[in-house]
Amino acid sequence: MASTRPRIAVDAMGGDHAPNEIVAGAIRASEELDVEIILVGDYQQVQAALNLHPSSKSLQIVNAQGVVEMGEEPLKSLRRKPQASINVAMDLVKNGQADAVVSAGHSGAAMAAAKLRLDTLTGIKRPAIGAMFPTMLAGKSVIILDVGANVDSDPEYLEQFALMGSIYSKYVLDIEEPQVGLLNMGEEPGKGDKLTKETYKLLEANPYINFRGNAEGRDVLSGDFDVIVCDGFVGNVLLKFAEAIGEVMLQTLRQELPYGWRGQVGTALLKPNLKRIRQRIDHAEHGGALLFGVAGVCIISHGSSQAPSIFNAIRLAKEAVINRVIERIQDPEKIYHKSDSNTATTPVRD
C-alpha cells in the first residue's frame, strides 16, 4: 500500500512561470497537504526561488541540467537532454524515490518521458490524459479522457479510457457507480462515425463499465455523466474551448460587476459567492490532468500554471497515490469483485 505521506517530484523548470511560481506552489503544498516535495531542476535557480520564501521550511532539490522547451520536438529533445528536469523527475518515480511527478512544462515531453521512463501498464494500449471539468451541479465534476495524448484512437483505446476513468471516479472521487458517456453528435446508438459506432458496442458490452450511452456536446457539463470518453483530438479542442469559456466568464464578471456605485457595493456583498464561482470554473483550481495508463502517477499542468494551480496539481497527485489508482487500473477484475468468471469479460485486451 502507498505511503500515507506521498513523495511528489515537481518539475521546477517546467512552465511559463518556472521556477518561482512552481516553487511557491510546492512550498504551499508541503505546508498544507502532508506530502514530501522533491524539487527537480537547476540547483542554483531552484534555490534562488526557495530563498524568496525564507520563513518556509526547506525542500529537497534534485539537480537537473536543461529543460525541454515548448517549441522542441519531444522525443528528440528527451534523448538529446537525458538530464533534463522532466527526465530526472520521471527517473525518481521509476527508481522508487518518488511516488508521482507534477510538471507544467512541455506536455508532449511529459507524456513521452512517462512512456519511455515508466512504460505503460500491462495490457494498456495507449495512455490517455484525463481532465476534470466543472458541471452545472455544485460540487460535481466530470472527467473527460482523452484530452490530448492520442490524436487518432481505435475503439479499444476508448474502451480502456472509459475503464480507467471509471476507476478514478470510483476510488478518488468517491462515486459508487460512475456514469459513463461517449461523446458523440447525437444520443441515438447509430449516430456518429465508424469510431464512435464501434466504441459504443464495446462500451455497452463491457460489464466493468456503467455505460449510459452517447453524450452530446450540451451534456458534457450537465452533471448527468461522471466520465466522458472521446479521442484526443476532439478532447483537446473541447478542453481548450472550456478553458476559454471559463476565462471569458471570469473576465466578464470583473468588468461588469464593479460598474457604478451600485455595482461596487454589490461586488463587495457578493465577494464570497464570486470566490466560489471562480473555484468552480477556473481551470487553475483543478491543477492539471492525470496521465492514465503509465506505470506511475503523472500530473500534467497547464503551461501558464502559477502557484495555486501547482498546489492543486500536487493535491491531485497525492489523491491518486493514496487511492492506489495505478494498482487499481492494473487489476480491475480484483477491484470490481466480479466473482462470476463465466459472465465477466476481461476489460483490458492484449
Side-chain angles (χ1 to χ4, degrees):
M1 185 173 178
S3 169
T4 56
R5 193 167 186 265
R7 299 161 297 174
I8 314 297
V10 178
D11 177 7
M13 309 307 294
D16 300 339
H17 304 287
N20 289 358
E21 287 293 322
I22 310 301
V23 169
I27 289 173
R28 180 186 167 195
S30 71
E31 295 173 343
E32 299 182 21
L33 296 179
D34 191 28
V35 293
E36 179 182 340
I37 300 294
I38 305 171
L39 295 170
V40 182
D42 179 270
Y43 187 90
Q44 291 186 338
Q45 293 186 54
V46 176
Q47 185 60 60
L50 282 171
N51 291 342
L52 298 175
H53 308 270
S55 61
S56 302
K57 62 180 180 181
S58 61
L59 300 180
Q60 180 182 354
I61 303 174
V62 172
N63 189 52
Q65 300 174 2
V67 61
V68 178
E69 303 292 347
M70 290 298 183
E72 294 186 281
E73 198 283 323
L75 281 174
K76 291 181 180 179
S77 297
L78 290 171
R79 293 191 175 107
R80 192 174 68 252
K81 304 175 181 179
Q83 293 302 309
S85 56
I86 190 61
N87 276 332
V88 175
M90 292 295 175
D91 283 340
L92 291 175
V93 174
K94 180 180 180 180
N95 298 330
Q97 297 169 275
D99 300 305
V101 172
V102 170
S103 177
H106 193 311
S107 58
M111 288 185 286
K115 290 166 69 174
L116 289 172
R117 252 59 181 190
L118 305 179
D119 207 354
T120 55
L121 293 171
T122 302
I124 297 296
K125 293 188 174 183
R126 292 285 182 87
I129 301 176
M132 302 303 302
F133 284 55
T135 72
M136 290 186 285
L137 301 181
K140 180 175 181 179
S141 298
V142 57
I143 183 167
I144 313 289
L145 65 171
D146 177 27
V147 295
N150 307 280
V151 176
D152 298 306
S153 294
D154 291 342
E156 291 83 1
Y157 303 168
L158 269 65
E159 181 188 15
Q160 291 186 351
F161 300 166
L163 176 66
M164 293 189 289
S166 295
I167 291 172
Y168 185 84
S169 292
K170 183 177 178 69
Y171 293 99
V172 177
L173 305 180
D174 294 323
I175 299 170
E176 186 62 29
E177 293 290 340
Q179 308 289 304
V180 178
L182 172 64
L183 189 61
N184 208 334
M185 60 184 291
E187 296 180 354
E188 299 82 2
K191 288 281 189 177
D193 56 9
K194 183 179 180 181
L195 172 64
T196 52
K197 289 178 181 178
E198 293 183 2
T199 301
Y200 190 102
K201 296 175 183 178
L202 292 179
L203 297 179
E204 192 174 39
N206 194 315
Y208 298 92
I209 298 170
N210 187 19
F211 183 50
R212 286 281 309 278
N214 287 328
E216 295 182 283
R218 62 186 176 186
D219 300 317
V220 171
L221 306 182
S222 68
D224 293 336
F225 296 92
D226 302 298
V227 180
I228 293 180
V229 294
C230 58
D231 69 81
F233 182 88
V234 172
N236 191 260
V237 172
L238 182 64
L239 174 67
K240 301 295 175 58
F241 181 75
E243 289 176 351
I245 288 296
E247 291 170 2
V248 168
M249 290 181 64
L250 290 173
Q251 186 62 27
T252 301
L253 289 171
R254 294 189 192 103
Q255 292 173 346
E256 297 296 332
L257 284 178
Y259 186 76
W261 70 268
R262 290 186 179 87
Q264 293 174 8
V265 173
T267 300
L269 294 174
L270 292 172
K271 191 172 182 179
N273 304 74
L274 295 174
K275 182 177 180 180
R276 288 193 293 270
I277 290 172
R278 177 170 184 171
Q279 289 173 339
R280 288 180 63 178
I281 66 176
D282 189 354
H283 67 82
E285 295 292 335
H286 295 284
L290 179 66
L291 181 61
F292 288 87
V294 295
V297 174
C298 178
I299 304 294
I300 299 175
S301 295
H302 201 286
S304 62
S305 293
Q306 299 190 43
S309 185
I310 296 301
F311 168 83
N312 285 310
I314 295 171
R315 176 181 52 78
L316 286 177
K318 174 188 175 181
E319 291 173 353
V321 171
I322 65 176
N323 286 288
R324 299 179 291 132
V325 169
I326 303 302
E327 178 184 336
R328 296 181 192 280
I329 290 173
Q330 188 69 83
D331 193 5
E333 186 170 3
K334 176 181 177 182
I335 294 302
Y336 277 77
H337 305 293
K338 293 290 183 180
S339 58
D340 187 358
S341 59
N342 293 323
T343 58
T345 58
T346 303
V348 178
R349 295 177 171 81
D350 294 327

